[in-house]
Amino acid sequence: MNKGKILVVEDEKKIARVLSLELEYEGYEVTVKETGIDGLQALEEDSFDLVLLDVMLPELSGLEVLRRVRKTNTATPIILITARGSVPDKVSGLDLGANDYITKPFDIEELLARIRAQLRLNIHAQEEKETELSIADLTVNEKTREIQRAGQMLELTPREYDLLVHLLNHQQQVLTRDQLLTAVWGFDYFGDTNVVDVYIRYLRKKIDYPFEKQLIHTVRGVGYVMKG
């Protein structure tokens, strides 16, 4: 069973071989690169679930690889492999965006545990991201039902929340009053499109009017559209 793809960037052949064998035995798909430049190229050409990155590498140091990767990729977990006593490397690595580090010589079971922990955290972060709807500086977390705009928490009634979520799920799409009525209120309100206008007004007072940029736009004679 493939548990995920791991990139190992390690120039010591013996260590790289041990890591590769142990990780493959655990069910991971492993790619090994021996230089910083080759490791960076691999990350540019493919996606990995986790990276084991040695700090001391030929051609390009592990810290420089980390710095370049984090310019465009902040999501992939990176565990640094550092030399014993190299506190500055550990500090610099964490400051540059490393998720964790392990010191040579390391216990393979400890490393495997750290890998599992980082993969779990990453899955949780991805799930959190998937539950978030956003446009401009407005975000809605569907899991917690928290609404923020420009860093401010906003309070909505359940119906206002449902209307906002529907608009966010159909960004850039002009929705008629009938479409909004059916989606948010159901057929019980069929024909009473005035209720849509009333709740759009309520919603605007909370998420639009206190802010400079308006997100809910009226399309005269048709309905409404949410766009940034």
Side-chain angles (χ1 to χ4, degrees):
M1 186 180 116
N2 187 343
K3 292 182 178 179
K5 290 170 66 176
I6 293 181
L7 173 65
V8 176
V9 191
E10 170 60 70
D11 65 316
E12 291 187 48
K13 286 185 167 60
K14 194 174 177 183
I15 293 175
R17 180 66 178 151
V18 169
L19 286 172
S20 183
L21 288 171
E22 291 286 352
L23 291 168
E24 285 172 354
Y25 180 78
E26 290 294 318
Y28 298 105
E29 182 183 330
V30 183
T31 299
V32 176
K33 298 296 178 183
E34 295 182 3
T35 71
I37 287 176
D38 287 346
L40 192 60
Q41 189 175 351
L43 282 160
E44 288 169 353
E45 294 174 354
D46 202 355
S47 60
F48 295 90
D49 297 296
L50 185 135
V51 182
L52 289 176
L53 178 63
D54 190 23
V55 170
M56 301 294 289
L57 290 169
E59 297 180 6
L60 204 63
S61 76
L63 293 180
E64 182 59 20
V65 172
L66 175 63
R67 190 184 68 79
R68 295 190 191 187
V69 169
R70 284 299 187 237
K71 280 185 176 179
T72 55
N73 176 350
T74 58
T76 304
I78 297 177
I79 299 177
L80 289 181
I81 301 172
T82 67
R84 183 185 292 279
S86 57
V87 175
D89 286 343
K90 295 170 186 175
V91 172
S92 299
L94 293 171
D95 284 344
L96 287 169
N99 299 82
D100 198 358
Y101 64 83
I102 193 157
T103 304
K104 294 178 185 177
F106 50 79
D107 178 77
I108 196 69
E109 290 303 322
E110 182 188 352
L111 178 60
L112 291 171
R114 287 173 183 264
I115 288 170
R116 288 192 295 270
Q118 288 302 325
L119 290 174
R120 276 196 304 272
L121 285 170
N122 199 42
I123 288 168
H124 180 68
Q126 291 301 319
E127 286 172 350
E128 282 292 307
K129 200 172 178 183
E130 285 165 14
T131 64
E132 196 171 270
L133 297 170
S134 65
I135 185 170
D137 55 356
L138 173 73
T139 60
V140 175
N141 188 315
E142 290 191 280
K143 199 171 181 180
T144 62
R145 295 176 75 93
E146 288 181 345
I147 305 116
Q148 286 190 49
R149 179 144 195 209
Q152 293 182 38
M153 297 293 291
L154 306 176
E155 293 289 332
L156 301 184
T157 66
R159 190 74 78 183
E160 290 165 356
Y161 175 85
D162 291 343
L163 178 57
L164 175 60
V165 166
H166 191 72
L167 289 166
L168 281 168
N169 278 320
H170 297 82
Q171 292 176 37
Q172 314 296 330
Q173 183 181 334
V174 179
L175 300 168
T176 68
R177 290 170 176 81
D178 281 331
Q179 285 174 322
L180 287 167
L181 195 64
T182 303
V184 180
W185 282 267
F187 291 103
D188 292 346
Y189 284 80
F190 190 72
D192 185 15
T193 56
N194 184 53
V195 73
V196 175
D197 298 322
V198 170
Y199 272 84
I200 287 286
R201 204 156 56 241
Y202 291 160
L203 201 52
R204 277 176 165 159
K205 279 174 76 173
K206 293 181 179 180
I207 73 154
D208 263 354
Y209 296 156
F211 304 93
E212 192 176 331
K213 187 175 186 179
Q214 308 300 290
L215 300 176
I216 301 171
H217 303 268
T218 302
V219 180
R220 205 168 292 281
V222 185
Y224 300 97
V225 59
M226 177 162 265
K227 57 185 180 180

